[in-house]
């Protein structure tokens, strides 16, 4: 029988540490439900002591999730562990994940502790966490750059103290696959009590080797991998969940492992993370990129038409990419619409289906072909929205090569209708000037990006903006066939998120 590898998803914790990828509480709960559908074994929901917001998010996720373990991160000290447990304790299957660095570089420059002091802190942390739960994971931060004898000593000590999972992170993405595989094998041969814990790995992608290192570790005895959807995470990111899972599945012939992941949910999960974080997946990204299953060269197209396996090592359907890209058109009715939405993995109330259907009909009037990505954008734009203080009612722009661009914006603000006009160097600038004045925002627009969701002249444009106020950053998104309307929607979405954030207390890491 094939050995099962546990998938520990850290999209909501390490993934959220990507610049600009922060998620609010409701967004984390949405991600958690998507990860449940994916059937991850463990999901790390956040770092409870980091902020009030993170604490609340972990608490909500722990309470909401029934079919997976929920982990909360804590440094190796009593205060962090108590706080993590406070957030996790009502969950169905909580895990405390405590960590301390073990490399001499971190000990000397960051912790200013001796090796003996670090072992002592690690053991005390594990013992303290074990008073709350049996499900305790310990991570030796920067394990790859740690002295091997010392790492063996730490691993043995934390297992003896009661850690059921011991994680060996490549915190700075420094390892080479053969070297990392050997490290895991050495731990197995040298740590006498190693069989009492699951060995986990957590690889960062600074050299682009995070997935390769994770696979090498699995081949050498690791039983858990930590990874993120779309590979988001600190700096160059973490090992990508979808790539690890599909490597294990596709190369089962030589790897001989399985995971519990329902791979048909990989693509919907990837789309959701893109929508929530605003971090767009590169088109040539393995498994979930727009071109991952596109065959451009004539010789390839010819081969695939004759026999798919000529150029396809896995089917698009197996990762949840619909082969039936052209899904609906203007003559499609409610029934077909509802079915397609369900197939895409959304569970919407009747009221939300109706809202999305109205948007779909209006899009179908403007655009001949409606793709799955268009439906994703409609749902992200129309349904997955936070409480809105600001709403766009209408927008009219005047621009071209003769007159200065002007925009007239009609909005609802706190339930009251308002109208104003702006001018600018372009129509988006003009609309933004009017919106900024009407909302009296003090925020600064720090990033604006636009991409086309589908192909063709009538494609929907998706705009992502990053807006900052008093050190807090939020992302806003908007989609529409008219790029100026999409831009206005994205800006207003960001302003609504800022308002939402302001109502929450976000303190800094103590
Ligand atoms: O990269 C790392 O070392 C981490 C630990 C906290 C597990 O994220
Ligand atoms: Zn990490």
């Amino acid at each position: 029988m094939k050995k099962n590898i546990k998938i520990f998803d850290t999209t909501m914790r390490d993934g959220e540490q990507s610049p600009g990828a922060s998620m609010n509480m409701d967004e984390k709960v949405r991600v958690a439900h998507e990860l449940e559908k994916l059937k991850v074994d463990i999901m790390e929901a956040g770092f409870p002591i980091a902020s009030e917001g993170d604490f609340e998010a972990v608490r909500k996720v722990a309470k909401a999730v029934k079919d997976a373990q929920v982990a909360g991160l804590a440094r190796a000290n009593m205060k962090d562990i108590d706080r993590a447990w406070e957030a996790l304790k009502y969950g169905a299957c909580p895990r405390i994940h405590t960590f301390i660095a073990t490399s001499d570089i971190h000990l000397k420059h960051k912790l200013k502790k001796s090796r003996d002091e670090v072992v002592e802190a690690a053991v005390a942390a594990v013992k303290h966490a074990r008073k709350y739960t049996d499900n305790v994971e310990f991570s030796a931060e920067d394990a790859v750059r740690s002295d091997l004898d010392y790492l063996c000593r730490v691993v043995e000590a934390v297992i003896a103290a009661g850690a059921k999972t011991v994680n060996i992170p490549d915190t700075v993405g420094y390892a080479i696959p053969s070297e990392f595989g050997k490290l895991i094998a050495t731990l197995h041969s040298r740590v006498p009590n190693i069989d009492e814990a699951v060995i986990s790995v957590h690889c960062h992608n600074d050299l682009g080797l995070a997935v390769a290192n994770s696979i090498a570790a699995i081949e050498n005895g690791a039983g858990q991998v930590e990874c993120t959807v779309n590979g988001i995470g600190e700096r160059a990111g973490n090992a990508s969940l979808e790539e690890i899972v599909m490597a294990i599945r596709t190369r089962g012939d030589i790897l001989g492992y399985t995971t519990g992941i329902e791979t048909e949910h990989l693509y919907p999960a990837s789309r959701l993370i893109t929508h929530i974080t605003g971090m767009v997946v590169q088109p040539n990204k393995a498994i979930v990129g727009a071109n991952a299953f596109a065959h451009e060269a004539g010789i390839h197209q010819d081969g695939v038409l004759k026999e798919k396996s000529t150029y396809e090592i896995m089917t698009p359907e197996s990762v949840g990419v619909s082969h039936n890209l052209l899904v609906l058109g203007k003559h499609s009715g409610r029934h077909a619409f509802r079915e397609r939405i369900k197939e895409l993995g959304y569970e919407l109330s009747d009221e939300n289906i109706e809202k999305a259907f109205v948007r779909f009909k209006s899009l179908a009037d403007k655009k001949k072909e409606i793709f799955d990505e268009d439906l994703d954008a409609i749902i992200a734009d129309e349904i997955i929205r936070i409480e809105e203080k600001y709403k766009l009612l209408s927008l009219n722009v005047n621009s071209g090569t003769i007159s200065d661009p002007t925009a007239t914006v009609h909005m609802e603000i706190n339930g009251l209708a308002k109208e104003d006009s702006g001018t600018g160097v372009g129509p988006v600038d003009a609309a933004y000037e009017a919106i900024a004045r009407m909302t009296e925002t003090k925020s600064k627009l720090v990033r604006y990006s636009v991409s086309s969701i589908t192909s063709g002249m009538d494609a929907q444009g998706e705009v992502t903006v990053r807006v900052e106020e008093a050190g807090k950053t939020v992302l806003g998104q908007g989609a529409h066939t008219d790029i100026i309307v999409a831009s206005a929607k994205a800006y207003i979405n960001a302003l609504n998120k800022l308002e939402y954030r302001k109502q929450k207390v976000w303190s800094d890491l103590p």
Side-chain angles (χ1 to χ4, degrees), residues 122-141:
V123 166
V126 170
K127 285 190 173 160
H128 188 63
R130 278 295 304 258
K131 290 184 197 147
Y132 294 125
T133 172
D134 288 352
N135 195 355
V136 173
E137 170 169 339
F138 172 81
S139 283
E141 191 190 9

Side-chain angles (χ1 to χ4, degrees), residues 10 13-14 17 44 73 97 99 137 139-143 167 169-172 202-204 226 234-235 238:
T10 182
R13 199 277 298 168
D14 219 334
Q17 288 173 218
E44 187 163 50
L73 188 67
H97 177 192
F99 75 100
E137 170 169 339
S139 283
E141 191 190 9
D142 205 18
N167 185 32
D170 183 15
T171 303
V172 291
H202 173 117
C203 298
H204 279 270
E226 304 196 357
E234 282 273 358
R235 306 180 309 278
N238 288 60

Side-chain angles (χ1 to χ4, degrees), residues 240-301:
S240 140
L241 182 150
E242 55 279 2
E243 292 177 22
I244 292 176
V245 167
M246 289 313 288
I248 291 175
R249 178 175 154 158
T250 309
R251 297 312 312 271
D253 55 332
I254 56 163
L255 289 176
Y257 306 101
T258 63
T259 71
I261 295 295
E262 298 213 339
T263 58
E264 294 75 14
H265 289 286
L266 288 171
Y267 183 66
S270 161
R271 292 288 301 163
L272 181 70
I273 295 304
T274 297
H275 279 302
I276 286 180
T277 62
M279 295 181 71
V280 180
V281 168
Q282 79 207 51
N284 59 326
K285 160 96 171 64
I287 318 296
V288 293
N291 295 347
F293 295 96
H295 303 281
E296 189 69 24
I299 197 164
H300 288 206
Q301 287 179 346

Side-chain angles (χ1 to χ4, degrees), residues 156-192:
E156 183 179 350
V158 294
I159 295 174
K164 292 289 174 222
T165 305
V166 178
N167 185 32
I168 307 298
D170 183 15
T171 303
V172 291
Y174 185 68
I176 299 295
S178 53
E179 174 196 26
F180 195 54
K182 200 165 146 210
L183 170 61
I184 302 303
T186 306
L187 289 172
H188 274 93
S189 65
R190 289 196 30 199
V191 175

Side-chain angles (χ1 to χ4, degrees), residues 15-171:
E16 204 205 13
Q17 288 173 218
S18 313
S22 65
M23 305 174 201
N24 66 36
M25 230 179 313
D26 296 337
E27 288 167 341
K28 280 200 174 179
V29 173
R30 228 189 116 63
V31 170
H33 285 312
E34 194 67 35
L35 294 174
E36 250 183 322
K37 281 192 214 155
L38 203 52
K39 296 237 178 322
V40 301
D41 298 281
I42 306 109
M43 61 178 87
E44 187 163 50
F47 189 4
I49 204 156
S51 70
E52 276 304 317
D54 224 12
F55 175 85
E56 273 309 318
V58 175
R59 204 163 70 94
K60 265 197 142 176
V61 168
K63 278 182 160 179
V65 169
K66 300 285 171 254
D67 292 335
Q69 299 176 40
V70 176
L73 188 67
R75 288 168 297 190
N77 68 59
M78 310 302 134
K79 237 173 109 187
D80 274 37
I81 292 168
D82 292 343
R83 192 74 176 141
W85 183 249
E86 265 310 295
L88 293 166
K89 65 183 178 190
Y90 299 111
C93 196
R95 171 180 290 197
I96 298 176
H97 177 192
T98 185
F99 75 100
I100 191 164
T102 52
S103 68
D104 287 337
I105 302 175
H106 280 236
L107 264 59
K108 180 171 173 210
H109 300 288
K110 187 180 84 175
L111 299 175
K112 306 201 187 317
K113 281 188 193 300
S114 67
R115 287 186 179 179
D116 287 347
E117 284 171 322
V118 165
V119 181
E120 218 174 275
V123 166
V126 170
K127 285 190 173 160
H128 188 63
R130 278 295 304 258
K131 290 184 197 147
Y132 294 125
T133 172
D134 288 352
N135 195 355
V136 173
E137 170 169 339
F138 172 81
S139 283
E141 191 190 9
D142 205 18
V144 163
R145 294 191 300 167
S146 302
D147 175 77
L148 185 57
D149 291 339
Y150 180 60
L151 185 63
C152 289
R153 181 180 155 203
V154 173
V155 172
E156 183 179 350
V158 294
I159 295 174
K164 292 289 174 222
T165 305
V166 178
N167 185 32
I168 307 298
D170 183 15
T171 303

